[in-house]
Structures are given as structure tokens and as C-alpha cells.
Amino acid sequence: MAQISPEVNAAWQTLNEAQSRMRSEGLAAGLSGLLGAMQQFRRAGDRTDESYALGLLAGVHHELGNFREAADYHRAGLEAARSIQHPGTRIAEHLDGLGMALSNMGQWQEGELNYKQAIEETRKPIRAFRKLRAHVIKHLADLYARYTGRLEEAIAMYDEAIAISLECEDQYNVAAALNFKGLAFDNSNRREDAVNLYEQSRVIAEKIGDKGLLASCLAHLGTSYLHLGNVPLARQYVVKALALDQEVGNKQGVCRDLWLLGQIQDNEGDEKATETLQDALLLSRKIGDLKVAVHVLRRLARLAGRRLQG
């Protein structure tokens, strides 16, 4: 059995301490430790664990809404994974993560290519690859629904992801796919069907205790009720979503929630709408979410136009 070097042991200790800090103090608290561990693995020539640490770093930055940093770490992790003789799921994981980061910055064409490469990497009939494959399919469906308008194709892909995730007993991805399938229904003007899917997803999110996923379900419910004309109920859901996203430090979620809240305030004639939308605009620019930034700018322009007319 191969001996683990003292340098690699020290790197694992650094990494474990960083993860402990993230659990007790929040995600951002462990970033410097994760970076230090990655550098220790690199100096020790351990490309396998370097790739793993880069994946953790990218994942934390993605959760925090730092998409450029997430993309850079996934690229580095992909390079490390491709240098390993037996990379397992690492190549597909980094391709998937890179696709997510690029998509969230509006670079969806490049993101689509990464997702398709990840799907090719997960064709093996092994449980770990099957589970990851469902996540990648779900992420590619998100891209199609959000950027290309290929809603029927996205809905079919969500169903495929749900089927695989049920097979793998992956409740998180079942809930996430139900949630975003609901959004595709919402965008197809199937509001009641969307609400039903959001509620199914919310039940699972509450059961597994995932606050970020729960916030997404609540925000989507708010969107549906806003479109259905029930503005007070929409506000209740969005305010709850915003509180959860702020609690877990999800910048992309906070940006989405502020954008929704600004729309609701505008519909209610609330003077705070402009301030809320400006906050959403600042955050969307900071994290590189160009699609939200464009939507907010359009809404702010309409608000300014109404003031000039009034």
C-alpha cells in the first residue's frame, strides 16, 4: 500500500479545517484554507487531490456568485484531471461546473459545449457516472430554457434527469429538476402546472434541509403568483426567498429575489421599487449575470419614463 507523504497529509489537514470553518462560519470563511490546501497538493505533485481541491474552490465561488473565479478554478481543475491516469468523474465534474459558471455569465454557447462534453464523459453504466449525468442533463436543460427558448426540449430533458435521479436515490436533483421544469412550464404560460411542480420541489427541499434550493422554489412560486395576478402572495414568497438567500450567502439568488421584489413593488406602486431594482442591478453586474442586468435596466427605464410623463 502506497504511503501518503507528510506534505499531502498536511494539505488534507488544511482542507478539512477549511471545510470545518465553512460549516461553522459560512462558505466564505473557508476560501483561504481551500486555496492553501490546493497549493500544498500542487507543490507535492498530487494532481488527483489538486483537482479535487480546485473543484471545491470552484464550487464555493459559484455558490457565492463569483462566477469568473469559479470558471477559472474549473479550468485549472480540468487541466489537472486530464493529467491523471484514472480521473474517475473528475473531468465530467469540472466540465459541468465550467458550463454552469459560463452560463451564469451569459456565455451560454460555450457553456453548452462543456455540458455536451460532460454528457459524453458520463456514458459509463456506473452509479457515480449515472448520478452525475442526471445533474449535467438538468443543467443543460436549464440553459435551453433560460437562453434559447427550447422549452419542450428542456422539459423532456428534465424528465430524463428526474428518472435517473430517482434510480440513483438523489433527492436533491429530483427536487432541482422539478423546480426548473416548473420554470419551463411558467415560461410556456402553464402557470398552474408550474405551481404544482414548485410545490413538489418545495416539499423535498424542506425534507432534505437545503435552504438554497428552498429559496429557489419560493422565488419561482412568487414568479408564478405574480403572473397569476396575486401580488400580495407573490411578495410573501419572494421576501421569504430573499431572507433565505441572504442567510446562505447566495449572491445569484439574492440578485434574482431583488429583481422579483422590485417588479412586485413597481406593480404595487411602492416608491422603494427603484431602490430595490438598482440594488439588483449593482449585484447582477458584480457577479456577471448579464441577463438579469438587462431585465433590470429595461424595468428601470420604464419607471423613469413613467415619472417623466407623470
Side-chain angles (χ1 to χ4, degrees), residues 7 30 37 59 87 95 103 122 134 140-141 150 154 158 186 208 213 219-220 251 270 283:
E7 293 82 3
L95 285 167
S103 299
T122 57
L140 182 55
R150 293 156 66 176
Y158 287 128
D186 233 336
I208 64 178
L213 179 55
H220 290 169
K251 292 179 187 176
D270 190 331
L283 186 53

Side-chain angles (χ1 to χ4, degrees), residues 124-142:
K124 295 179 183 178
I126 300 171
R127 185 181 178 87
F129 283 92
R130 292 281 292 165
K131 183 176 180 179
L132 177 57
R133 183 179 182 83
H135 283 250
V136 181
I137 290 170
K138 184 263 176 190
H139 295 153
L140 182 55
D142 294 344

Side-chain angles (χ1 to χ4, degrees), residues 148-159:
T148 71
R150 293 156 66 176
L151 298 176
E152 291 305 317
E153 188 174 351
I155 289 167
M157 293 176 73
Y158 287 128
D159 287 338

